[in-house]
Amino acid sequence: MNIKEIAKTAGVSVATISRALNHPEQVLPETRERVLAIMREHDYTPNWFARGLNFGRTNTIALLVPSIENHLHRKLISGIETIARSKSYAVILCHTESNSERELEYLRMVKSRSIDGVICVSSTLDGQQLAALQSPHMPAVHVGRTGVPGFDALCYIDFEESAFRLTQHLLSLGRRRITLLADENLRGECEQIASGCSRALATAPDAEPLAVLPCGSSVQDGYMTAQRMLQSPQTTGDEAILTFSDTQAFGVLKAANDARVAVPEQLAIASMMDSAMCTIVNPPVTSVELPGARLGMAAARMLFDVIENQELAVESPREIVLQPKLKIRRSCGNRKYIYELFD
């Protein structure tokens, strides 16, 4: 069945069918009910995408994200979906894997399909690449601190400040040699973390400069990297490994256990990303609770402010910064259980 056959069966014109769907106030209630009943009887579904093009809107937004396995990005997607669903919008998920060429391909697709708006997470493109692809009428929000020309607004988590606070905690527990396992696919965020760590280490005269090792985000990546590090004897008890992801931290914990390196007596382990698993491993891992879902909701609201009202968007915030929360547990040597009581 198509719309012409529905109109023929209902004994009305195609224009009446269109009004019954799009402007029901212009159609007699009994006529609209007859049309809807025939649609239900024949299981007819209107082409909402085509209808959206007729009205200059597709009720669809695109989300370009570098990783769908990352815990933070899963929370981010959830937050964006929550707001989009409340607006009756669909979200097209585009997995870029931090690949510039793939990101460009997705943006070409977004432009060709007249998507209503786009949210880019940790974009790897420069302003010149974006200028060639972005339509001036397409609202766009960037999730990430690094500003990229062509986006209407920025929304990000303050990784630098949270890394500074976490490093201060490690210093207070006597850790003077800190190694950061950076996620190779999220260089911008890891550079901010390294900056925060180095700023805190500069306040301790006897602390060594931050060591940074590139590492994948999986448990296996964390395990292999830590295994190489732990080949040398760990006897001083002033060392700490700070991971970007919680999965990296679990791999480090496994490697330390296999190497018979006591955590936290000989080695402290902390993560810049909290998850439920951090509370049930032994010892529980000190980490940073990132407001991923709130970040996604904030980014989506910023985007819809522009989509729904260009004048209102001018008065809306152009930049939103969210602050994480430090979750102190026993993997770094903390013995004050009051911290974990309210975890």
Side-chain angles (χ1 to χ4, degrees), residues 65-251:
V65 63
S67 172
I68 57 176
E69 297 177 355
N70 184 292
H71 180 71
L72 171 62
H73 292 156
R74 291 199 299 270
K75 291 286 188 180
L76 178 77
I77 293 168
S78 173
I80 292 171
E81 283 275 6
T82 297
I83 299 302
R85 188 167 56 251
S86 71
K87 300 284 186 179
S88 299
Y89 266 69
V91 180
I92 296 178
L93 180 61
C94 306
H95 187 196
T96 68
E97 297 186 275
S98 296
N99 184 296
S100 299
E101 286 301 317
R102 186 169 298 179
E103 191 173 345
L104 283 168
E105 289 176 9
Y106 278 130
L107 284 174
R108 291 189 189 100
M109 178 272 292
V110 167
K111 186 177 180 180
S112 67
R113 297 192 182 188
S114 302
I115 303 300
D116 295 336
V118 60
I119 298 175
C120 285
V121 182
S122 303
S123 176
T124 58
L125 304 180
D126 56 37
Q128 187 175 2
Q129 290 171 309
L130 285 168
L133 287 170
Q134 283 189 316
S135 165
H137 304 296
M138 180 180 293
V141 172
H142 185 252
V143 176
R145 185 172 181 176
T146 304
V148 181
F151 288 96
D152 297 288
L154 288 177
C155 187
Y156 59 90
I157 291 172
D158 193 345
F159 282 102
E160 181 173 340
E161 182 59 27
S162 56
F164 176 80
R165 290 174 54 203
L166 179 50
T167 305
Q168 281 190 317
H169 173 65
L170 291 170
L171 290 170
S172 71
L173 296 172
R175 311 296 173 168
R176 293 297 183 268
R177 292 190 291 163
I178 300 175
T179 300
L180 170 65
L181 302 192
D183 189 329
E184 297 169 316
N185 293 321
L186 293 170
R187 295 177 183 175
E189 287 81 352
C190 289
E191 287 173 0
Q192 296 163 38
I193 292 169
S195 177
C197 292
S198 297
R199 186 157 55 91
L201 288 170
T203 65
D206 57 338
E208 295 185 6
L210 178 72
V212 181
L213 293 178
C215 179
S217 61
S218 70
V219 174
Q220 183 70 12
D221 292 324
Y223 178 84
M224 297 298 293
T225 303
Q227 195 177 47
R228 290 191 293 270
M229 291 177 59
L230 297 176
Q231 288 177 353
S232 58
Q234 304 284 320
T235 56
T236 59
D238 65 347
E239 295 177 88
I241 295 179
L242 173 59
T243 68
F244 177 80
S245 71
D246 57 329
T247 47
Q248 288 174 331
F250 303 147

Side-chain angles (χ1 to χ4, degrees), residues 5-74:
E5 292 169 329
I6 292 291
K8 182 178 180 180
T9 304
V12 297
S13 67
V14 171
T16 299
I17 298 292
S18 178
R19 283 194 294 270
L21 292 172
N22 303 319
H23 302 286
E25 71 282 357
Q26 298 179 9
V27 180
L28 290 172
E30 56 268 27
T31 301
R32 182 169 188 269
E33 184 54 41
R34 185 169 75 256
V35 167
L36 294 178
I38 292 171
M39 287 182 175
R40 287 192 295 268
E41 179 184 350
H42 295 279
D43 196 25
Y44 172 77
T45 303
N47 188 331
W48 297 104
F49 186 77
R51 289 180 63 218
L53 290 177
N54 292 334
F55 287 95
R57 204 170 272 185
T58 60
N59 278 46
T60 308
I61 62 172
L63 169 61
L64 277 64
V65 63
S67 172
I68 57 176
E69 297 177 355
N70 184 292
H71 180 71
L72 171 62
H73 292 156
R74 291 199 299 270

